[in-house]
Amino acid sequence: MKILVINGPNLNMLGKRDKAQYSARTYAELLDMISKKADEMKVTVDFYQSNHEGAIIDRLQLAMEDGTDAIIINAGAYTHYSYAIHDALEIINMPKIEVHISNIYEREAFRAHSVITEVCSHSIVGEGFEGYLHAMEVIKEALGE
């Protein structure tokens, strides 16, 4: 099984961002944590991070052709307004799990709306880095692995 983990704008700045919302852990620590879980689950994980909307869309489209079986996406700020990412996710026919480190529903009003939730199979919010691991378990169950 191959899982694509996409992280949007500013997630590469984990460890430098608001520690009350995102913890002091770094982006490298997040990738290491996911990689260890992937090894335990005996799955392959590809990571992609971009601060550019079009690049994220290009990577989503590539996922339909490169053997990807499922997607975990934290679209960052694009979550709240990118109908282009919404549309790219909508055409992809595989499990797609939306993840947010913080609980977007308990933050600023503009963060409480996700335009991608309706085109994702599942949404996980407010579980910190562990939300990504939870998403991996959800995918494993969804694919019957």
Side-chain angles (χ1 to χ4, degrees):
M1 178 182 4
K2 180 178 169 184
I3 300 171
L4 171 62
V5 177
I6 295 181
N7 283 292
N10 297 310
L11 286 155
N12 58 314
M13 300 303 288
L14 289 170
K16 298 175 182 169
R17 294 186 73 184
D18 179 357
K19 291 171 180 54
Q21 295 294 335
Y22 303 103
S23 91
R25 294 184 285 181
T26 66
Y27 186 66
E29 289 174 288
L30 172 64
L31 301 188
D32 184 57
M33 189 176 174
I34 295 169
S35 294
K36 287 178 181 173
K37 178 71 169 179
D39 288 346
E40 288 173 22
M41 294 175 63
K42 298 185 180 2
V43 301
T44 301
V45 176
D46 284 347
F47 296 106
Y48 186 78
Q49 188 280 325
S50 181
N51 296 315
H52 305 281
E53 183 179 31
I56 292 169
I57 292 165
D58 289 342
R59 185 62 187 95
L60 285 166
Q61 291 174 356
L62 180 61
M64 294 187 289
E65 301 174 6
D66 72 356
T68 295
D69 297 301
I71 296 169
I72 297 170
I73 183 166
N74 182 339
Y78 292 134
T79 297
H80 314 295
Y81 65 87
S82 179
Y83 291 100
I85 291 175
H86 167 282
D87 291 349
L89 286 164
E90 185 175 42
I91 62 174
I92 297 171
N93 187 22
M94 65 181 73
K96 300 163 287 195
I97 312 298
E98 173 187 23
V99 171
H100 298 285
I101 295 167
S102 66
N103 186 339
I104 62 173
Y105 304 110
E106 294 179 354
R107 295 188 59 193
E108 303 93 334
F110 77 91
R111 293 187 198 274
H113 178 70
S114 168
V115 301
I116 67 171
T117 297
E118 68 181 33
V119 293
C120 288
S121 315
H122 197 85
S123 183
I124 298 170
V125 302
E127 294 185 14
F129 283 17
E130 289 73 14
Y132 289 85
L133 308 184
H134 181 184
M136 294 170 76
E137 292 292 340
V138 169
I139 288 167
K140 188 172 181 180
E141 185 176 318
L143 294 175
E145 299 282 325

